[in-house]
Every structure is written in structure tokens, then in C-alpha cells.
Amino acid sequence: MQMKSLFNLATLGLALQASQAVLAADACDRACLEGFVDRYFDAVIDNNPAALPLAADVRFTEDGQRLVIGDGLWNTMKAKGNYRLFVTDVKASQVAFIGTIQEDHRDPALSTMALIAVRLKVENQTITQIEQVVVRNENSAKNVDAMTVRPGLLATVPPAERMSRDELIRVSNLYFSGMQQNDGRGEYPFADDCDRIENGGRATNNPTPAGETRPDPKTANGYSGQWSCEEQFQSGLIHFVHRIRDRRFVAVDEERGLTFSFAFFDHPGGETRNFETPDGRKVSAGPVQPWTWQLAELFNVTDGKIHEIEAILQRSPYGMNSGWSTWEEGMSDQMRDVSME
């Protein structure tokens, strides 16, 4: 009886080791997830879905529209660009990417640069979800393609200083909450060195042009790209951003202090353009027509502060949905962590 028990225990141990080996083989670490992005682009360039391990029910959206695999960018992408920025979430088996690509041009000998944000969900070495936003603004794409990824977005945070994924998302979302109907009185967790880049252009801390005077937040009628992140928010002059909705945080990289989100910024126009600054001045600002920005935006958060923000964005139909939310979720300004779903 004792020999039989020992045999059973040994068999159970071997089975457990085999099971662990299978799990290890199916696991996808940082290099694996980022490699899937390159594999995906290579397949898109060749318009060859068969080159990818796709789930039978894989879901694919481009610019908020659900498409069949092989449609959209699959017909036009010609090459990968130089700029490559990843937010890699090993725990969630998700990887998000901002970069540049080349597409078809009227002249077959030429190509057109575009910006792209991509999210892949990989389960058991199989792609189950593909979400992408393609910003076809060639000048912006060229600017981004010439950029170097800022060191702060690549630096590893010492283990003892890492923030939890929940806290990283909470602090990142304060950016959205502070910009929506901005009043200059919110919680703005910006580090002194905070900088924001949008479509390859610096949106904060720009030098004052020669011969000009730096705008004063106390007297200006519109926020300035010469101001710091905190000065812009404390000015209350971004109030015209009426609603920031469908705030979907899709990837978190605790090792590097990064979060990645998709969201929409709504500017209804009309009376929403008229507001008071924190010191009581009446101003009008923002788009004069209903306007929605579709964004992919990432945040670098360390020590509880936002240090760097990078986004690509494009105008979309007013009130557009992401294709990944219900109508109610898409119109809500509540933050959602969908990274582990």
C-alpha cells in the first residue's frame, strides 16, 4: 500500500511538472508580446492573415469600426516606420504600441507616412483582439518618425519604488478628470518636469519666440503651449473640453510606470465655449462646432506624479464610439480598467 502511495505521488508530481511546462510554453513575456506587434505588422504589410496565430473569434477594429481581418490598413500598409513605443502588460497579456508606418501613395514609387496606435491581446500564443487607430496626418507622422523615444518612457523603476497598477491608473485618470470642464481648482498630480507631446508636437514648455512675451495665465484668454502642464490646468482655460469619455485603460506596465488609454474628447460648442476663469474673468474658447477627438494616450507616472504624456489623436465624427464599449459606457466619463478583461 505504501509503495502504491509513493507511486501515485510520483505520478502526480510528473503530471504537475508537465502542466507547469505547458503553462510556461503558453506564457508570453515582454519580448514575446512586443514580438507579436512586429509579427502583426509584417502580416499586415503582406496582407497575409494566415501568417498570424489568430483566434477563430478574433475581434478587429480600426478607428472605432469593426472590420474583417484583411480589410482597412491591411490593404495599404507598406512598411514599418522608425518610431516605436510600447506599453507592455505581461500580467494582462496585452501590449499597446504607438509608432509610425508607411502607406500607399498616388505615386507607386513613394509612400505616405501615418501614425498608428495598436493594442493586441494575446492568449495562449494566439491573438484574440486587435484594436488600432490610424492617424493619417503626414506632417505629424514625419515629426514623430524623426523623434527619439524619451528616456523616461524606457527607464525601469526600481522594484521598491513601483506603484501598483490600480494607483498608476488612478493618477493617470486625474489628467482626464482635471481637463474635463477644467476649473483650475482640481487635483493636478504633475511633476515639475512634466511634458506633453501630441502628434509629434510639443504641447507644453515651448520656448517663447524671440520678440514675444510669454503669456500670463492670469490675463490670457486661451491656454498656451509655453506653459507647464500644471500652469495649463491651473489656468482654468481648458474648460471647453466638455467631456472626456470612454476612458479605457487597456495596458499597464508597472515595471516602467506606464499606462496606456483610449478615450474621446468632446467639444459641443455653443454655450459650452463660454466660462469663467478661476479669478472670475469671462472668456470664450474652443471649437465653434461640435467636435470630437479620438485619442490614444499614454502616461509615465512615478512617485505618484505624471512626468510624461504622449498622445496621437484625430478628429472623428462627433459622439463616436470606440467599438469596444456599450453605448452607455462609451458616453460615460467614468474611468474603466479593461486591461485584465
Side-chain angles (χ1 to χ4, degrees):
M1 180 68 69
Q2 185 177 10
M3 290 295 294
K4 185 175 181 180
S5 297
L6 291 173
F7 176 79
N8 288 339
L9 285 173
T11 302
L12 180 62
L14 290 172
L16 181 60
Q17 290 178 10
S19 176
Q20 290 173 337
V22 170
L23 289 174
D26 288 340
C28 205
D29 60 12
R30 179 182 297 275
C32 169
L33 286 168
E34 294 177 5
F36 263 98
V37 174
D38 278 317
R39 291 173 65 183
Y40 171 69
F41 283 140
D42 289 341
V44 174
I45 291 167
D46 293 338
N47 199 351
N48 181 19
L52 292 173
L54 299 173
D57 59 348
V58 61
R59 186 173 184 180
F60 167 51
T61 64
E62 181 173 306
D63 296 336
Q65 301 301 306
R66 187 167 184 179
L67 301 176
V68 297
I69 299 292
D71 202 357
L73 184 67
W74 291 75
N75 294 307
T76 60
M77 184 172 170
K78 295 303 177 188
K80 293 177 275 191
N82 294 315
Y83 192 76
R84 298 161 57 84
L85 176 54
F86 294 90
V87 177
T88 309
D89 191 338
V90 175
K91 288 183 181 178
S93 296
Q94 304 249 27
V95 58
F97 171 91
I98 285 178
T100 51
I101 59 172
Q102 296 179 21
E103 277 193 285
D104 275 337
H105 190 278
R106 290 182 180 180
D107 183 343
L110 302 174
S111 61
T112 300
M113 297 217 70
L115 295 168
I116 191 167
V118 172
R119 174 186 67 87
L120 301 180
K121 185 172 182 63
V122 179
E123 299 179 273
N124 299 322
Q125 299 290 323
T126 301
I127 298 174
T128 60
Q129 296 178 6
I130 306 169
E131 179 177 9
Q132 63 192 31
V133 174
V134 185
V135 177
R136 293 178 169 93
N137 181 323
E138 188 167 17
N139 288 335
S140 294
K142 286 180 177 178
N143 289 338
V144 172
D145 199 60
M147 286 171 39
T148 300
V149 176
R150 291 170 286 167
L153 299 175
L154 300 174
T156 299
V157 180
E161 299 174 17
R162 291 176 191 170
M163 299 168 60
S164 69
R165 63 189 302 119
D166 288 345
E167 188 64 6
L168 285 167
I169 291 174
R170 186 192 73 81
V171 174
S172 299
N173 185 56
L174 288 173
Y175 172 84
F176 293 141
S177 299
M179 181 177 285
Q180 177 174 286
Q181 299 183 42
N182 169 241
D183 62 6
R185 301 183 181 91
E187 181 182 357
Y188 310 136
F190 296 120
D192 291 341
D193 63 354
C194 173
D195 218 350
R196 185 170 82 249
I197 304 295
E198 296 177 342
N199 280 5
R202 182 179 293 277
T204 53
N205 302 310
N206 281 290
T208 302
E212 296 185 14
T213 301
R214 188 176 190 268
D216 184 348
K218 297 296 184 182
T219 60
N221 290 324
Y223 79 96
S224 171
Q226 297 174 41
W227 299 343
S228 69
C229 296
E230 189 160 3
E231 283 178 312
Q232 289 182 349
F233 277 55
Q234 288 180 339
S235 75
L237 291 168
I238 318 178
H239 184 88
F240 61 87
V241 183
H242 185 73
R243 179 175 54 194
I244 300 179
R245 58 180 174 81
D246 206 9
R247 309 177 192 180
R248 297 169 50 244
F249 284 85
V250 299
V252 180
D253 187 341
E254 296 169 71
E255 186 177 324
R256 293 181 177 171
L258 303 177
T259 66
F260 192 102
S261 61
F262 289 107
F264 294 93
F265 287 21
D266 286 341
H267 311 300
E271 286 301 313
T272 66
R273 299 184 65 250
N274 304 319
F275 54 92
E276 288 189 1
T277 63
D279 57 6
R281 291 182 297 113
K282 296 183 183 300
V283 299
S284 296
V288 298
Q289 300 169 339
W291 188 295
T292 291
W293 287 114
Q294 181 184 25
L295 297 96
E297 192 147 23
L298 69 85
F299 302 90
N300 170 221
V301 182
T302 54
D303 300 321
K305 300 286 187 180
I306 298 174
H307 290 260
E308 301 183 73
I309 306 160
E310 188 156 329
I312 68 170
L313 62 156
Q314 64 182 350
R315 186 178 181 179
S316 68
Y318 183 72
M320 189 175 117
N321 196 290
S322 66
W324 295 90
S325 305
T326 65
W327 187 86
E328 290 78 11
E329 290 169 338
M331 300 308 290
S332 170
D333 64 2
Q334 296 303 300
M335 175 276 293
R336 292 159 53 217
D337 175 8
V338 299
S339 60
M340 303 293 286
E341 293 182 358

